[in-house]
Amino acid sequence: MTVVDGLIVLAYLIATLFIAFAVRRRAAQNIDAYYLGNRRMPWYLLCLSDASGMFDISGTMWLATLLFVYGLKSIWLPWLWPVFNQVFLMAYLAVWLRRSNVRSGAEWILFRFGDNRGSRLSHLSVVLFAMICVIGFLVYAFVGIGKFMELFIPWTAIGPPLGLHLDPAMVPHLYAVVFTTLVTIYVVMGGLPGIVWTDVLQFSIMTVAAIFVAILAMATVSPAEIAAATPHGWMDPLFGWRLGLDWRPVQPLVSSKIATDGYQLFGPLVMMMIFSGVLKSAAGPAPSYDMQRVLATRSPRDAAKVTGFVSVVLMPIRYLMIAGFTVLALVFVSRLDLVSGNRVDYESILPAAIQAFMPVGARGIIVTGLLAAFMATFASSLNAAPLYVVNDVYRRYVNPDASQRLLVRMSYAVSIGVVLVSMAIGLFVASINDALQWIVSGLWGGYTVSNVIKWYWWRFNGYGYFWGMVAGIACARTFPFVFGPLMSWAGGILPLHLFPLIVLVSGAAAISTSLLTPATEMAVLVRFYRQVRPWGAWGAVRQALAAVDPGALPNRDFGRDVFNIVIGTIMQTNLVATPIFLVVKNFGALAVSVGIAMLCGLVLWRTWYRRLADWPADLPDGPREEAA
C-alpha cells in the first residue's frame, strides 16, 4: 500500500477505537448492557450489525475462490454453511428464541429443561460448546486476516531493514496477531453497543468498496473476455451428477484445486448439503453472535425482522465485491501473485486482485472495507464468548452475589484469554477451508441433533440433550480418523458425507437416554410451551396447559412456516445470483433473477411480514412472568 492507502486504513482504525471509548461507560453499566445493549437497540441497527458480522474477510475470500473455480455453480456451495439458516430463523425460530427472554443459549437450556442434574449437565455442555464454537470462528477469522494482509504489507519491505528475519510461512500469522490485538481492544472496551455502532460504520465502508469494485470490473472486462478465460459451463448455475467443468485447457492448476476440495461429484454434494443444512437450520442458531443479536432485540417481532432482512442487506453488497474481483482475476490472472509460503494459494485470489487492480486511494478504501469485515466478524464472535463463562458459570456456580462491576471486569479478562487461545490454535491452521471444514463437520455435526429435538419433542430431557451432544461431538471428531483410509481410497468423500452417520449415532444416544430417564417436570414444560408456543410433538403438554388455561391456543403455523422457508430460500439464492449476473453482464439472466426475487419478496410480505406477532393470540401482552 502507498502512504495514502495507509492513512485511510489508519483513519478507520482510529474511528473504531473512538467509538469504543465513546460508549464505554454505557456498556459497563451491567452485563445486560455489555452483552445485550439492555435490549433497547432498534432492530435495523442490529440487522446491519449482523450483516456486517457475516461479511467476514475469510468467508469473502473463500467465496471469491469458489466463484473463480466453480463459476455460477458456486451459488449453491454456501449451503454448506448453511446460509439458509437465516431463513429458518426468519420464518419462526427467531420468534421462538426471543420469546424465551433469556440472556444466552446456556440459560435457555435451564428454561427448557428446568433445574435438575440432567439440565445442569446440558447447561455446562452448551457453555463448553459455545466456547469451542467461538474459538473455531475466531481461528477462521485469524487465518483469513493473515492471508489478506500479507500481500499489502510485504515483510521484505519491513523485516530486513529492521534486522528481523522470519520464515515466509509465519508472516501471515504475525499480521494476524497484530490485527486481532487491535480488535480485542475495542471489543473489550465497547461491549455490544460499541460493536453495533462500529459495525454500522464498517458496513457503510464495505458498501462503498463493493460498488466501486463492481463498477470497475464492469467497465474493464467484457463478456467475451470472461468466456475466453473460463471453461464451458462456468456461466451456468445448473448442474448434474458431476461438476462438468474442465479447466485443463484454460488453467490446469485449477483442476487440482477441484480435486483437493473433493467437489467433483456435485449432485451428491448438493443433496448432502440440503440434508445437513435443513437439520442444522432447524436446530436454531449456534450460541454465538447470531444468537446474541436475536436475544438483544426489543421484541420477538423485531427478532424475526433482524434475521429476515439480513440476507436482503448482505447478499447483494457482498456479491458485488466478490463478483467484481473474481471477474478481474479471471481475465487478468497472469497479473496476480498467488504464491504464499512457496505454494500457489487460490484462497489469496481476493487480496491478490486488490493488489493488482486497485489504484491509489481506492486500494486503501477496499483494504479498509475488508479489514472492517474481518474486525466485525472477529468482534462479534469475541463478544459472545465471555457471556457464557461470566453469566453461566461464574455468576451461577462460583459467585452468585458478584457485583455488576466485577462481572464486567471478568468479561474483559475472559475476552483476552479467548483471543490468546485462538491465536495459539490459528498458528497451526494453514487453510481457510481447513478451518471451515472443522467448524462445519466437527462443531455443527455434534451440535445438530440435540438442538433439533429440543424444539419439537416434549419428552426430550436434559440427559438426552447432554448425551446427544457428547455422542455427536465425539463422532464428529473421531469419524474422520476412523474412516480416513476409506475417504482416501474413495477419493471424493468429504467430512460432510459422514454427517448422516453422525446424526444416526447422536440421535440414537439422545432419544434412548431421554426414554430411559425421567421426563422433565410437567410444570416446567407447560411454562415453556405457554410462553414459546412451538409446533411439533407437544400433545401431552398441550393437554396439561388446556387443563389450567382452556383459552390457550396451539401453534397451527407449521404449513405456513415451511412454505415461507421454501420461498425465502429461493429469494436468498437469487439475491446471491443477481449481483453476479450484473457484473458479468448477463442481463437476460439478471432480469429473471431480479423478477424471481421480487416475486418472492411480495409473497413473503403477505405470508410472513404481515403475520408477525410478538406473542400468541391468547397472550397479547406476553407472559405473566419472565424466564430467569
Side-chain angles (χ1 to χ4, degrees):
M1 293 189 295
T2 65
V3 174
V4 173
D5 297 322
L7 290 174
I8 292 173
V9 174
L10 181 62
Y12 160 73
L13 294 174
I14 293 173
T16 60
L17 294 176
F18 174 80
I19 291 173
F21 278 97
V23 302
R24 177 171 59 92
R25 289 186 178 180
R26 188 194 316 168
Q29 291 174 357
N30 52 60
I31 60 170
D32 281 342
Y34 191 80
Y35 293 112
L36 301 176
N38 280 325
R39 288 177 170 150
R40 294 176 181 172
M41 307 191 78
W43 71 268
Y44 47 85
L45 288 183
L46 291 169
C47 180
L48 284 173
S49 176
D50 207 15
S52 185
M54 294 177 190
F55 200 143
D56 63 294
I57 189 168
S58 298
T60 303
M61 291 169 65
W62 180 65
L63 292 171
T65 303
L66 293 181
L67 182 58
F68 184 99
V69 174
Y70 299 98
L72 267 294
K73 293 175 179 58
S74 68
I75 67 173
W76 312 107
L77 290 175
W79 287 6
L80 178 69
W81 197 249
V83 292
F84 54 72
N85 72 322
Q86 294 299 313
V87 181
F88 278 71
L89 287 169
M90 172 207 77
Y92 65 97
L93 277 172
V95 170
W96 292 3
L97 179 60
R98 182 61 184 83
R99 284 176 179 173
S100 304
N101 281 330
V102 295
R103 291 190 186 97
S104 69
E107 197 172 289
W108 186 95
I109 291 295
L110 299 178
F111 175 54
R112 167 65 174 82
F113 298 123
D115 191 0
N116 53 62
R117 188 168 183 268
S119 66
R120 287 191 291 274
L121 285 171
S122 298
H123 176 260
L124 291 175
S125 73
V126 171
V127 171
L128 179 61
F129 176 83
M131 296 304 298
I132 295 173
C133 185
V134 167
I135 290 172
F137 278 107
L138 295 183
V139 170
Y140 168 72
F142 182 91
V143 174
I145 190 63
K147 287 176 175 285
F148 181 77
M149 296 307 298
E150 179 185 18
L151 288 175
F152 297 100
I153 310 177
W155 179 251
T156 53
I158 298 176
L162 297 175
L164 300 175
H165 300 281
L166 191 66
D167 185 337
M170 294 301 296
V171 172
H173 298 318
L174 174 64
Y175 293 141
V177 169
V178 171
F179 283 98
T180 52
T181 301
L182 290 174
V183 181
T184 303
I185 293 172
Y186 90 75
V187 171
V188 169
M189 298 302 295
L192 182 65
I195 289 172
V196 168
W197 282 108
T198 305
D199 283 348
V200 172
L201 169 65
Q202 291 165 340
F203 195 80
S204 301
I205 296 171
M206 290 184 284
T207 299
V208 172
I211 293 173
F212 179 86
V213 171
I215 292 174
L216 177 65
M218 294 178 70
T220 306
V221 176
S222 68
E225 289 175 307
I226 298 173
T230 56
H232 175 73
W234 190 92
M235 293 284 289
D236 186 1
L238 302 180
F239 57 88
W241 189 256
R242 301 191 67 86
L243 179 64
L245 290 177
D246 186 4
W247 276 96
R248 288 173 297 179
V250 186
Q251 294 186 48
L253 286 177
V254 180
S255 296
S256 62
K257 166 65 176 171
I258 296 174
T260 301
D261 288 345
Y263 295 166
Q264 300 99 322
L265 295 175
F266 205 75
L269 174 67
V270 172
M271 289 189 288
M272 190 60 65
M273 287 192 297
I274 294 172
F275 170 74
S276 65
V278 168
L279 284 178
K280 293 170 185 175
S281 299
S288 62
Y289 67 86
D290 204 15
M291 178 180 286
Q292 189 182 21
R293 297 301 186 276
V294 171
L295 295 175
T297 54
R298 293 172 175 172
S299 68
R301 192 171 187 268
D302 278 1
K305 288 191 284 188
V306 167
T307 54
F309 285 94
V310 70
S311 295
V312 178
V313 171
L314 173 66
M315 296 304 181
I317 300 301
R318 189 182 199 184
Y319 274 87
L320 279 176
M321 177 178 288
I322 290 169
F325 277 127
T326 301
V327 163
L328 290 168
L330 281 167
V331 175
F332 304 107
V333 67
S334 61
R335 293 168 54 181
L336 301 185
D337 179 11
L338 298 179
V339 178
S340 177
N342 300 318
R343 65 187 182 89
V344 175
D345 184 2
Y346 282 98
E347 291 179 350
S348 297
I349 285 173
L350 183 64
I354 298 173
Q355 186 185 52
F357 305 121
M358 294 297 104
V360 174
R363 183 181 300 176
I365 294 173
I366 302 300
V367 172
T368 300
L370 286 170
L371 180 61
F374 156 74
M375 295 178 75
T377 303
F378 198 91
S380 296
S381 298
L382 177 58
N383 183 248
L387 175 62
Y388 289 86
V389 175
V390 175
N391 181 68
D392 295 299
V393 176
Y394 181 76
R395 188 185 194 189
R396 181 171 182 82
Y397 299 108
V398 180
N399 189 359
D401 300 320
S403 67
Q404 293 294 324
R405 185 176 184 181
L406 176 60
L407 293 174
V408 171
R409 289 185 174 179
M410 283 286 297
S411 300
Y412 297 165
V414 174
S415 296
I416 294 170
V418 168
V419 170
L420 292 177
V421 172
S422 302
M423 287 181 178
I425 296 174
L427 295 176
F428 298 96
V429 177
S431 165
I432 296 172
N433 194 57
D434 289 345
L436 177 67
Q437 290 289 348
W438 188 82
I439 293 170
V440 171
S441 62
L443 298 183
W444 279 104
Y447 176 83
T448 301
V449 173
S450 287
N451 287 278
V452 169
I453 303 174
K454 72 183 184 183
W455 291 107
Y456 311 104
W457 184 37
W458 76 273
R459 187 58 182 79
F460 193 50
N461 62 16
Y463 289 106
Y465 185 96
F466 174 74
W467 288 110
M469 284 276 285
V470 170
I473 292 176
C475 291
R477 300 316 310 149
T478 59
F479 279 9
F481 300 99
V482 173
F483 294 98
L486 175 62
M487 295 166 68
S488 301
W489 173 76
I493 297 179
L494 300 171
L496 177 66
H497 295 147
L498 297 174
F499 183 79
L501 187 57
I502 295 172
V503 168
L504 183 64
V505 174
S506 58
I511 294 171
S512 61
T513 305
S514 292
L515 294 175
L516 291 171
T517 52
T520 302
E521 294 179 12
M522 187 54 69
V524 173
L525 294 172
V526 166
R527 183 189 182 206
F528 172 82
Y529 180 79
R530 184 173 185 273
Q531 187 166 319
V532 176
R533 211 64 61 90
W535 38 254
W538 289 91
V541 182
R542 283 198 302 271
Q543 293 175 9
L545 176 60
V548 296
D549 185 0
L553 301 172
N555 186 337
R556 303 187 186 281
D557 294 334
F558 171 77
R560 179 164 59 86
D561 291 343
V562 171
F563 175 79
N564 287 337
I565 289 169
V566 174
I567 299 300
T569 303
I570 295 171
M571 180 178 177
Q572 185 189 61
T573 304
N574 278 275
L575 289 174
V576 170
T578 293
I580 301 175
F581 286 133
L582 174 65
V583 172
V584 301
K585 301 179 186 177
N586 188 341
F587 297 116
L590 173 65
V592 173
S593 185
V594 170
I596 293 173
M598 292 179 65
L599 179 61
C600 290
L602 179 61
V603 171
L604 289 174
W605 177 73
R606 294 182 61 86
T607 62
W608 169 70
Y609 187 81
R610 292 178 61 184
R611 296 173 180 263
L612 285 177
D614 286 330
W615 305 101
D618 55 281
L619 289 176
D621 299 321
R624 298 187 187 94
E625 59 177 351
E626 294 191 348

